Amino acid sequence: MKTLKKILLLLALMSAALGSAQETITNESVIQMVELGFDDYMIIDKINTSNVKFDASISALGELKKAGVSSEILSLIMDKSKQNTKSKTGIYYTDASGQDKLIQPSVFSGSNSNAVAQKLVSGLINSKQKAQLPKTQSNNVIRQSQPEFMFIFDPSVTEVDNMQNNQGSDAGIFNWWFRMASNPNEFVLVKLTVKEKKNLREVITGKESWITSSSGIDPKYALNFSIEEVEGNKFKVTPAPLEPGEYCFIYQGAIPQGRDNQSVFDFSIQ
């Protein structure tokens, strides 16, 4: 019996240790500790010995300040936030479980044009160039109408460096969008048209008539979003409320030599 009790006690201690190791300290956790009367040194020690997920945007820091969080703790939160975002370039959203999820780029599977229809009416309408994505729904499912996205760029590589870098380095090959760009203004947010019968999603990427031609996303299709700088290379992006459907962020900035822009960062609102 004593042996059984020892085993149960050991299992309980291991479970407690595991739970402690997996605990994540957030802005709300810090506010809660302040409201409970924890001393600064206790809060600092807790932050330094735990996993953390802090929002260090100006508005979030303001809320912490209003809650009575000291300048020393605010400074630590800002430092921890910088450490967490280092080398994690890309676009992130928070999934239903509260975890940050990276949106991997999806590659266009094909293109379509109604140039034939244009010729039939002697150029009276524009020929629309459309890029297509496979499947009718993104793998990135977000169950809220106004999600927050985190854009993280690489501040260590300049635009000139990228333009000169043709091949052979991380800056030119992997996730180059976030090394070329410096802020979310170089991306546009658009709603994708779902084609159920063809099992695909598509977006208009250019127009052409017998007089003029244009490429890129028409500004009238671009959806509004707000941008808040969190750190020098980290931005919180919040779109206007979105109705259920398929969406994507498309890079519209300069393209480095040897690269193409045949990928988008897609997500589904449900």
Side-chain angles (χ1 to χ4, degrees), residues 17-257:
L18 182 60
S20 176
Q22 294 177 339
E23 183 179 11
T24 300
I25 303 300
T26 64
N27 291 36
E28 291 72 24
S29 304
V30 172
I31 292 174
Q32 184 179 21
M33 285 188 283
V34 169
E35 291 176 345
L36 290 172
F38 283 43
D39 292 329
D40 277 7
Y41 77 88
M42 297 175 68
I43 299 175
I44 291 171
D45 182 65
K46 187 65 176 176
I47 292 173
N48 285 328
T49 57
S50 306
N51 295 324
V52 298
K53 180 185 174 184
F54 288 132
D55 180 353
S57 62
I58 294 175
S59 59
L61 291 174
E63 291 299 319
L64 289 166
K65 189 69 175 177
K66 289 179 182 178
V69 178
S70 70
S71 297
E72 186 177 3
I73 295 175
L74 290 176
S75 179
L76 179 59
I77 288 173
M78 293 171 67
D79 287 340
K80 290 290 185 179
S81 178
K82 291 178 182 178
Q83 294 172 19
N84 287 346
T85 61
K86 187 178 181 181
S87 301
K88 295 183 179 179
T89 61
I91 302 175
Y92 293 80
Y93 70 95
T94 303
D95 65 15
S97 65
Q99 299 298 311
D100 289 337
K101 184 175 180 181
L102 174 67
I103 300 180
Q104 299 288 355
S106 295
V107 181
F108 289 131
S109 60
S111 61
N112 188 23
S113 172
N114 64 345
V116 175
Q118 181 198 23
K119 290 180 180 179
L120 291 176
V121 293
S122 302
L124 294 178
I125 63 172
N126 286 329
S127 168
K128 297 179 180 179
Q129 302 295 326
K130 300 177 182 179
Q132 300 171 332
L133 289 173
K135 302 189 304 181
T136 59
Q137 182 177 304
S138 170
N139 292 326
N140 303 300
V141 177
I142 302 176
R143 303 187 186 281
Q144 53 179 309
S145 64
Q146 195 170 25
E148 291 182 349
F149 298 91
M150 202 63 70
F151 281 61
I152 303 176
F153 300 90
D154 186 349
S156 64
V157 183
T158 67
E159 183 173 333
V160 174
D161 292 334
N162 275 300
M163 292 300 290
Q164 292 176 343
N165 181 15
N166 183 13
Q167 294 182 7
S169 78
D170 180 63
I173 297 176
F174 302 108
N175 229 14
W176 59 263
W177 303 271
F178 304 97
R179 292 170 168 83
M180 286 298 300
S182 59
N183 67 75
N185 281 319
E186 296 179 61
F187 291 77
V188 293
L189 173 61
V190 296
K191 186 175 183 180
L192 298 165
T193 301
V194 177
K195 300 291 185 179
E196 294 283 353
K197 291 183 179 180
K198 296 181 179 180
N199 192 32
L200 56 81
R201 295 156 289 160
E202 65 181 19
V203 61
I204 298 173
T205 56
K207 292 182 179 181
E208 184 176 358
S209 71
W210 65 283
I211 299 176
T212 62
S213 64
S214 62
S215 60
I217 302 300
D218 189 323
K220 72 180 181 182
Y221 296 123
L223 303 176
N224 292 329
F225 55 79
S226 64
I227 302 172
E228 182 179 358
E229 182 177 338
V230 178
E231 302 290 347
N233 68 320
K234 182 178 178 182
F235 299 82
K236 182 191 295 184
V237 169
T238 307
L242 302 173
E243 61 184 17
E246 300 298 312
Y247 299 85
C248 69
F249 287 103
I250 303 179
Y251 174 70
Q252 295 287 273
I255 300 174
Q257 185 179 358

Side-chain angles (χ1 to χ4, degrees), residues 1-16:
M1 184 63 69
K2 289 183 177 180
T3 302
L4 179 60
K5 288 183 177 180
K6 288 182 179 180
I7 293 174
L8 292 175
L9 178 59
L10 179 60
L11 290 174
L13 291 173
M14 291 175 64
S15 177

